Amino acid sequence: MPHSAHSPRRTRLRRISGWRALAAVPALALLAVGCSNAADDTAAASGKGTSLSSGLGSKAEARKVTFLLPQDPGDPFWTTIAQGAKDAAQLLNLDLNMQTSSGDQSKYNDLIGSAVADKPAALAVVLDDPNKYTENVCAAQKAGIPVMSYNITQEGEVGDCTLGFVGQDFEEVGYLLGKRLLADNPDIGKGDTVLTPVEFPDQVYAVQRHAGVKRALDEVGAKTELLGTGIEDSAALDKITQYLLGHKDTAAIVPLGGTPHRTVPKALEDSGLKVPVVGFDLAPQIVTGIESGAIGAAADQQGYVQGFQSVMQLGLLLDFGLSPADINSGGSGLVDKDNVGIAKELAGKVR
C-alpha cells in the first residue's frame, strides 16, 4: 500500500492532543461540582446523589451501541479493547452489541452493513482498509447513525463519514521505537539489516509503523526487511525462526505487530541468536520478555483506552449531544524495565 508523508492517522490526530481529549470527561464532572451547593458536595463526597446520576445513562431512549471487532476478543490485544468497551457501556448504561469478523475483512464489511439495517443508536468500527468499507460506513452516517472509528483511521470519503477517532499515531511511534533501538545499540549502522515482522505488511497500520521505523534507521544507513507472519502465533514463530536461521547477520528485530512481537523471544531461543528487540503492542509474553531482557522496549497503544473512549464518546453524544473528538490513545511513552511493573500487574486486563 503506498504511503504519503501526510498519513491519515497523523492528520486526524493533529486536531486534539491525547491529554486534552482525555480531560473532557473529568471536566464535565468538575463543571457539575462547581455549580453544586454544600449539601450536594456532602452527598458527592459520600458517593451518593452525584451530579451525573440524573442524566448520564438515562437521557437518550435509544441506547444500543454496536461495537465491531475485526479480530476475536480472545487475542490479548483485542481482549483489552473489548474490556474497555464493555466497561464504558456498563458505566453509561448502554446496550452493547459486540461482534467480531475473526480477521475476515469481507465478513467485517457485512457486519457493518447489517448494523446499518439493524439501526443501532451508534456504531464503532475499525477501518483497516481505505476503500473497502466506505459504502456501508457512509450508509450508516446517512441513516443518522453516529460512527466512531478506533485503532486505525482513514481520510477521504470514509473518514468524512465518521465523527472521531481513538488510536495511536503509528508512524510517530515507529520513529520513536527506531530511535530507542539506535540509542540503546549505537553499533547498528550503515548496511545493517533490521527485521520488521508484521501480520499483514500491506495493511495501513503496518505501512505507517514501518514508515516510522524506517525513517529512524535511514538516518544511520541501516535498512529494514519486512516479513509477513499472519495472526497465528505458531505460524509466526515458525516463520521468524526460519528467517533468523537463514539470516544470522540480522542486526535487530522490530516487530510491527503484537503477534510477531510476542513470539520473537521464543524464535530467538529456537534459532540460537541474541539480537536487540523493540516492538509494538503489549501482551503477557511481551511483558515477560521485557523483564528477562529479551525485549528492550515496547510501544503500548493502550487498547483499553480505544475501546473505552470510543464507547464513552458515543454515550456522551447520545445523552448530551457532546461532539466526539480524536484521541491519541498511545501517546509517546514506551514500556521498558523501568516501568514494566504496572503493565505486568494489568496485563490482559487493561494493558
Side-chain angles (χ1 to χ4, degrees):
M1 180 179 298
H3 174 76
S4 66
H6 301 289
S7 70
R9 179 178 299 273
R10 295 178 68 188
T11 302
R12 298 276 321 253
L13 287 177
R14 285 195 186 101
R15 296 180 188 172
I16 186 166
S17 64
W19 71 267
R20 290 179 61 194
L22 289 169
V25 176
L28 181 62
L30 287 172
L31 177 61
V33 171
C35 297
S36 65
N37 57 33
D40 292 334
D41 291 341
T42 301
S46 67
K48 299 178 181 178
T50 59
S51 57
L52 291 179
S53 62
S54 62
L56 190 63
S58 65
K59 281 190 176 296
E61 292 184 7
R63 310 204 63 74
K64 182 177 180 180
V65 173
T66 297
F67 192 94
L68 299 182
L69 293 163
Q71 303 291 343
D72 291 334
D75 178 278
F77 175 69
W78 295 102
T79 295
T80 62
I81 287 183
Q83 189 61 54
K86 291 175 184 176
D87 287 350
Q90 182 178 357
L91 180 65
L92 301 179
N93 191 30
L94 296 171
D95 177 13
L96 189 68
N97 177 23
M98 184 172 289
Q99 301 179 46
T100 176
S101 65
S102 301
D104 186 328
Q105 286 186 321
S106 294
K107 182 180 177 181
Y108 196 80
N109 194 35
D110 290 342
L111 289 178
I112 299 173
S114 297
V116 176
D118 191 42
K119 298 182 179 179
L123 174 65
V125 297
V126 175
L127 303 176
D128 57 10
D129 186 281
N131 302 307
K132 188 178 291 290
Y133 313 118
T134 301
E135 182 178 353
N136 283 338
V137 169
C138 291
Q141 184 260 346
K142 291 174 183 176
I145 302 170
V147 182
M148 280 288 296
S149 67
Y150 70 96
N151 188 247
I152 300 174
T153 190
Q154 302 286 349
E155 286 185 320
E157 185 179 355
V158 72
D160 292 340
C161 293
T162 64
L163 295 177
F165 168 71
V166 185
Q168 190 175 64
D169 188 326
F170 289 148
E171 184 172 337
E172 287 307 309
V173 176
Y175 182 74
L176 178 71
L177 274 174
K179 295 295 283 187
R180 174 61 181 265
L181 174 69
L182 297 174
D184 291 346
N185 303 276
D187 55 321
I188 295 176
K190 187 174 182 179
D192 287 329
T193 298
V194 175
L195 175 64
T196 51
V198 65
E199 295 91 346
F200 306 106
D202 292 335
Q203 287 197 7
V204 173
Y205 79 98
V207 172
Q208 293 178 356
R209 289 174 169 182
H210 179 254
V213 173
K214 184 176 183 300
R215 178 155 55 97
L217 295 177
D218 283 346
E219 293 176 0
V220 298
K223 60 183 180 180
T224 63
E225 184 158 349
L226 282 163
L227 175 69
T229 66
I231 59 174
E232 297 296 330
D233 282 22
S234 58
L237 173 61
D238 182 64
K239 288 179 180 179
I240 296 171
T241 301
Q242 293 303 315
Y243 177 91
L244 294 175
L245 288 172
H247 302 80
K248 294 194 174 184
D249 59 345
T250 299
I253 306 175
V254 183
L256 303 178
T259 302
H261 198 179
R262 59 180 177 259
T263 60
V264 158
K266 178 62 174 171
L268 287 171
E269 179 183 332
D270 291 351
S271 64
L273 295 182
K274 186 176 181 179
V275 300
V277 178
V278 298
F280 281 89
D281 299 338
L282 282 184
Q285 303 95 316
I286 296 170
V287 168
T288 300
I290 293 173
E291 288 184 311
S292 71
I295 297 173
D300 179 14
Q301 61 171 310
Q302 301 181 52
Y304 183 89
V305 173
Q306 294 178 14
F308 185 91
Q309 287 292 351
S310 294
V311 173
M312 175 62 73
Q313 292 200 83
L314 288 173
L316 292 174
L317 171 67
L318 295 177
D319 278 338
F320 302 125
L322 296 177
S323 300
D326 292 348
I327 296 177
N328 186 345
S329 69
S332 58
L334 300 180
V335 178
D336 57 20
K337 272 194 172 183
D338 292 336
N339 59 6
V340 73
I342 186 66
K344 180 178 182 179
E345 178 184 344
L346 300 175
K349 302 172 185 175
V350 298
R351 295 297 297 271

